[in-house]
Amino acid sequence: MLQKRRLIVALSALGGLFAVYGGTAYWAGLKAQETLEEQHRMLASLPLFKVKSHSYERGWFSSRETTELVFNRKLSGPYESMLPDTLRPLLGSTIKFTHTIKHGPLPGLASFDFHPARALVKTDFEMSDSTRKTLKRFFGDKEPITVVNRLGFGGGGELSVTIPSFDYEETLAGVKMKWKGFDLKLDYKHGYKEYKTEAVSPGFQLDAASRGSIRFDGLRYLSDMRPGNTGVKLGTSELSVGNVQLNWKDSVPYSIKLNELLYVLTRVRVGEFINPSGEFKPSNVVLKNFTYQIVTSEQDEFVNSRGKVGFETFTLNDQTYGPMRLDVSANHLHGPTLTRLDSELGRIPFEGVEPAELRKQYIGTIKTYGIPLLENNPRLLINEFYLHMPSGDANLEGSLTLNGFKENDLKDPLQFIRRFEADAKFSLPRQTLENMVVAQARNLFTVDESAEDQPNLKEIDNLARNLLDSQLTQWIEQGFLSQDKGQLSSTVNFRGGVLTIHDKKVSLPWEDTPEEVVDASAPAAKAK
């Protein structure tokens, strides 16, 4: 009798435990769906993809979510011709993946994983036979990508993405590819507003015997972001790349739709006035130890951001530059205005709108919602710019501040200009300036290569050098520039509507020009 009673108690406890576990699993399934639906909304907002279909089937102990994506060809279109023939078809294919969601509180129990969590999500990618066949050439029997997402009880989670390494070779085409893999770890909090990211790729190498080679190694990205009180994302992001090498034998024509590229990456519409075209000449490029860092902080309702970019050396053909250091800051930016501008710019329709109309809407939005940004004394600083070049060193320090701006100042251009305060100190090699002027002169005077009458480039170069020499000589004699051992240097100051260069006042177009004041922008005097 006692044994029977014990058995009943044990079965009751087991049943109660199962009921509790089942109830917890059902609750965890509901909460997991909320988290994953939020993830899907974030994915759908990314510019890289377009959502073709999406479904969610929730069960008691497990659920299933299926999504179909296609690449946004506006992003990849300008660069597809540079990819190997075997990779191009992938950009037109559909990416279909299924999330298999095991509900908590012990979602990995079946595989002896005893870590508690709201859910454990494993992703399987379903591909067409042709796509799978193409990827099998590279990855063999390994899965091309593995994604695991562990959802925590607090609404956050840990996401990991792994792409395995591969060695690929097309003997007849003379193409070799070596991919050293990719790992991403994302630790996010509830609502995805706070997250830490670490992405690492040891390297990649592509050798095309007839066209050239590309390689990079030591790529690493780190970020630690959190929301500020004003809605602006605060924190740090860093990128480092050990080496990048490009050796290309053919001239590659390009016509890049930068307006569309900027839109898909930033949702900022700028029309078609920044779309360059031309060709990349055969070249050998090596970049060593590239780094960048952006730190954004908040003080009261104002945002400060500082960015640093640098590299050890940059070699183009037989010319080596570096080291290079650039350190810039944007301070006292009105946080609520930045948040509002980001929201309003994202509302402007882009598809099918004429470029002129886009520019009008873009500028109109900035005028309507960006005024508080100007009214709160924003300040831009170039803390340091240094670049070593074959002809010498270039240095620049400076600041630009808008003080006391009022909205009515926009109606008075001169008053608006007087609100600015600027300081700059610079030095650069005279030879560098000469090279820039000569290059610009060639662009102005050369015509289509198919034209019958071509200008004499030597005469153009000599003309540009002579004009520059005459102008520099005049500025040096007037004291606006200093020259020492081939280095040109000066200082610039603008306050209260008064411009001085090297401590000498310069008349501005709206000022009466006294006889004793020489305008530094006046054309060079003719030689007697």
Side-chain angles (χ1 to χ4, degrees):
M1 191 70 170
L2 183 59
Q3 289 181 343
K4 184 177 181 181
R5 189 174 297 172
R6 288 177 176 173
L7 180 61
I8 292 174
V9 171
L11 291 175
S12 298
L14 184 62
L17 182 62
F18 182 79
V20 171
Y21 189 91
T24 305
Y26 186 80
W27 171 85
L30 290 173
K31 293 299 181 180
Q33 182 175 358
E34 293 177 4
T35 302
L36 291 172
E37 289 289 355
E38 178 65 21
Q39 285 187 2
H40 175 73
R41 285 192 290 271
M42 292 177 62
L43 178 64
S45 67
L46 291 176
L48 298 175
F49 306 102
K50 293 184 178 180
V51 178
K52 188 176 180 180
S53 68
H54 175 250
S55 65
Y56 197 100
E57 302 171 11
R58 185 169 58 81
W60 197 293
F61 293 98
S62 65
S63 300
R64 187 180 184 88
E65 181 182 27
T66 303
T67 305
E68 288 184 305
L69 303 174
V70 292
F71 282 104
N72 188 342
R73 302 298 285 274
K74 286 188 175 182
L75 177 63
S76 61
Y79 316 104
E80 290 180 15
S81 61
M82 302 177 68
L83 296 175
D85 293 339
T86 52
L87 287 181
R88 276 181 230 155
L90 297 179
L91 297 175
S93 60
T94 298
I95 302 172
K96 183 178 181 181
F97 58 89
T98 300
H99 293 323
T100 301
I101 305 119
K102 300 294 184 181
H103 302 167
L106 297 173
L109 187 62
S111 56
F112 302 101
D113 180 356
F114 300 103
H115 290 88
R118 179 178 287 182
L120 185 64
V121 184
K122 293 188 177 180
T123 304
D124 296 310
F125 288 86
E126 301 176 28
M127 307 171 191
S128 65
D129 291 340
S130 60
T131 300
R132 180 69 69 175
K133 184 178 179 181
T134 299
L135 291 175
K136 190 176 179 64
R137 293 183 182 182
F138 299 96
F139 296 100
D141 295 330
K142 294 182 290 187
E143 281 296 318
I145 183 171
T146 301
V147 182
V148 178
N149 193 0
R150 187 182 297 274
L151 308 182
F153 286 108
E158 298 176 355
L159 174 70
S160 65
V161 179
T162 302
I163 300 176
S165 60
F166 66 75
D167 286 325
Y168 174 77
E169 182 174 358
E170 289 184 9
T171 305
L172 294 178
V175 175
K176 294 181 180 180
M177 295 178 64
K178 185 177 181 64
W179 167 252
K180 297 182 181 180
F182 173 81
D183 289 289
L184 167 68
K185 293 181 180 179
L186 176 65
D187 185 352
Y188 57 91
K189 303 299 182 181
H190 176 69
Y192 309 98
K193 294 180 180 180
E194 184 175 349
Y195 52 88
K196 295 181 180 179
T197 308
E198 180 179 8
V200 177
S201 178
F204 170 75
Q205 182 172 350
L206 166 64
D207 292 311
S210 61
R211 305 185 69 179
S213 64
I214 301 173
R215 69 173 294 178
F216 73 81
D217 58 65
L219 186 150
R220 189 182 189 196
Y221 174 78
L222 299 172
S223 70
D224 186 352
M225 307 301 295
R226 64 187 186 281
N229 295 326
T230 62
V232 176
K233 290 182 180 179
L234 310 177
T236 304
S237 60
E238 303 176 9
L239 173 70
S240 61
V241 185
N243 293 285
V244 179
Q245 296 182 27
L246 169 64
N247 188 329
W248 217 246
K249 300 176 182 178
D250 299 329
S251 294
V252 180
Y254 64 87
S255 179
I256 303 175
K257 298 291 185 179
L258 283 182
N259 64 318
E260 295 179 0
L261 181 62
L262 282 174
Y263 168 69
V264 297
L265 290 176
T266 66
R267 298 297 181 185
V268 172
R269 285 82 170 181
V270 292
E272 294 186 349
F273 56 89
I274 60 166
N275 296 335
S277 61
E279 66 177 9
F280 297 108
K281 300 293 185 181
S283 59
N284 181 27
V285 178
V286 179
L287 176 64
K288 292 186 178 181
N289 295 330
F290 172 84
T291 61
Y292 94 73
Q293 180 190 66
I294 298 178
V295 179
T296 305
S297 59
E298 189 177 65
Q299 184 175 5
D300 298 325
E301 61 179 7
F302 295 101
V303 174
N304 300 319
S305 186
R306 186 168 186 171
K308 296 181 179 181
V309 181
F311 56 79
E312 183 178 321
T313 58
F314 174 78
T315 302
L316 175 61
N317 296 327
D318 58 347
Q319 297 290 315
T320 299
Y321 303 82
M324 189 278 282
R325 298 185 298 271
L326 174 62
D327 182 349
V328 296
S329 299
N331 294 340
H332 215 258
L333 306 180
H334 192 240
T337 302
L338 290 175
T339 303
R340 182 68 183 273
L341 270 176
D342 179 65
S343 175
E344 295 299 331
L345 289 172
R347 298 175 187 271
I348 300 176
F350 180 76
E351 302 292 341
V353 182
E354 293 295 325
E357 179 61 24
L358 281 177
R359 288 193 292 272
K360 181 179 178 181
Q361 292 184 42
Y362 183 63
I363 295 173
T365 300
I366 293 177
K367 286 183 177 180
T368 302
Y369 300 103
I371 296 300
L373 199 65
L374 304 179
E375 291 178 330
N376 283 279
N377 303 335
R379 190 181 188 198
L380 305 178
L381 300 103
I382 302 176
N383 303 302
E384 179 188 25
F385 171 72
Y386 171 80
L387 174 62
H388 175 72
M389 298 176 288
S391 55
D393 297 341
N395 294 274
L396 173 64
E397 298 177 7
S399 66
L400 177 65
T401 307
L402 186 61
N403 276 329
F405 171 84
K406 303 297 181 184
E407 186 172 358
N408 286 336
D409 293 341
L410 292 176
K411 301 176 182 179
D412 184 352
L414 293 183
Q415 179 61 25
F416 178 61
I417 291 174
R418 291 189 183 99
R419 297 293 189 186
F420 284 95
E421 295 182 0
D423 290 284
K425 178 181 179 181
F426 68 88
S427 172
L428 79 162
R430 178 169 180 153
Q431 185 62 51
T432 299
L433 182 60
E434 181 179 301
N435 293 342
M436 294 171 59
V437 170
V438 168
Q440 185 63 30
R442 287 191 175 195
N443 290 335
L444 289 173
F445 291 105
T446 53
V447 295
D448 192 296
E449 292 182 359
S450 62
E452 184 175 343
D453 296 326
Q454 294 290 334
N456 187 310
L457 293 181
K458 186 176 180 179
E459 291 180 357
I460 292 175
D461 294 351
N462 289 334
L463 175 62
R465 290 189 182 98
N466 290 334
L467 289 175
L468 176 64
D469 181 72
S470 177
Q471 183 67 82
L472 290 178
T473 298
Q474 180 180 351
W475 284 342
I476 291 170
E477 290 176 350
Q478 294 172 350
F480 293 109
L481 280 176
S482 296
Q483 181 173 249
D484 182 27
K485 298 179 181 179
Q487 287 284 124
L488 299 172
S489 61
S490 187
T491 59
V492 179
N493 178 276
F494 182 80
R495 273 182 174 77
V498 177
L499 174 65
T500 60
I501 299 178
H502 217 266
D503 297 327
K504 291 183 176 293
K505 185 179 182 300
V506 177
S507 295
L508 297 171
W510 56 84
E511 296 178 324
D512 293 330
T513 307
E515 294 182 0
E516 67 272 14
V517 176
V518 181
D519 189 341
S521 63
K526 294 182 180 179
K528 295 182 179 180

